[in-house]
Amino acid sequence: MESTLSLNAMKRKVTVKTVPVYLLAIALIWWAKPVPALFVAGLIATLAGEAIRVWAAGHLYKNERVTTSGPYAFVKNPLYLGTLLIMVGLCVMASNWVLLAVGLAVFAVYYAPFKQRRESGRLRERFGESWTRYDRAVPGYLPRLTPYPARDRQPWRWDAFIRNDEHGTLAAVLLGIGLLAWRLWR
């Protein structure tokens, strides 16, 4: 019974968090006015962002350890960096400068600071000095040029990718690219 309640609570939480994202994605597609050159530039940014997310999801073991392998050796928040690149890329593909400006503002003013406060404290409490050393050495969003010296050498793992539900994000991003391509060539 308790696990059912937890699962239902998680579903409600995910729905509340994702509804605005889905509405903005629909608006982006609806008002898209793609042009070939910007479509290609945005596609490159979108694919780079998703590649970073795929790479990161295959290394992440939430709440088990401080993840320092893969992209986490260069940047503390590769999933968020990837999301930012995807958002920028899709807006550029759609030639939608209003949603791009709104997205960048929300990311900079609300999303990134909120995540920093929430996650940093939780990780410091859970992992102590291990997190503190990593937190001091690795930047949040602009990657280091050299990897974190004390990084793990864990390989990318398919089971971690699936457990972190990146396949759902990948499918959504590919659908968005497909719909914008359809808008471009229709």
Side-chain angles (χ1 to χ4, degrees):
M1 179 74 166
E2 186 176 311
S3 63
T4 304
L5 290 174
S6 298
L7 182 59
N8 288 335
M10 278 184 11
K11 285 180 183 177
R12 279 193 305 277
K13 184 177 179 182
V14 168
T15 301
V16 170
K17 282 174 33 178
T18 57
V19 166
V21 173
Y22 292 133
L23 292 175
L24 287 171
I26 291 167
L28 181 72
I29 303 299
W30 183 265
W31 287 308
K33 302 218 182 310
V35 295
L38 290 173
F39 183 90
V40 171
L43 179 63
I44 291 167
T46 301
L47 293 175
E50 186 55 39
I52 291 168
R53 286 189 58 89
V54 166
W55 186 25
H59 283 272
L60 182 60
Y61 289 85
K62 293 179 185 174
N63 299 318
E64 293 178 25
R65 63 179 178 250
V66 176
T67 303
T68 61
S69 61
Y72 293 92
F74 298 93
V75 65
K76 201 172 349 198
N77 300 302
L79 288 169
Y80 305 147
L81 175 61
T83 298
L84 178 64
L85 286 171
I86 291 167
M87 185 267 304
V88 168
L90 290 173
C91 287
V92 170
M93 288 171 69
S95 299
N96 193 317
W97 313 117
V98 172
L99 284 179
L100 176 59
V102 168
L104 290 172
V106 168
F107 187 86
V109 173
Y110 170 73
Y111 187 78
F114 171 77
K115 289 293 189 177
Q116 172 66 26
R117 282 189 311 274
R118 186 170 147 223
E119 291 184 0
S120 193
R122 182 179 58 81
L123 292 168
R124 186 171 291 106
E125 184 178 304
R126 185 171 192 98
F127 299 111
E129 187 57 32
S130 177
W131 168 256
T132 301
R133 277 191 310 275
Y134 175 74
D135 187 36
R136 285 185 190 138
V138 179
Y141 295 96
L142 294 174
R144 295 169 54 107
L145 296 177
T146 59
Y148 176 53
R151 71 189 179 277
D152 287 337
R153 307 281 183 176
Q154 299 295 319
W156 186 90
R157 299 275 312 259
W158 177 256
D159 62 318
F161 171 80
I162 296 298
R163 185 177 60 255
N164 288 308
D165 197 31
E166 189 57 30
H167 57 292
T169 303
L170 176 59
V173 168
L174 292 176
L175 176 63
I177 290 169
L179 290 170
L180 287 170
W182 172 75
R183 291 294 309 261
L184 176 64
W185 285 294
R186 72 174 176 99

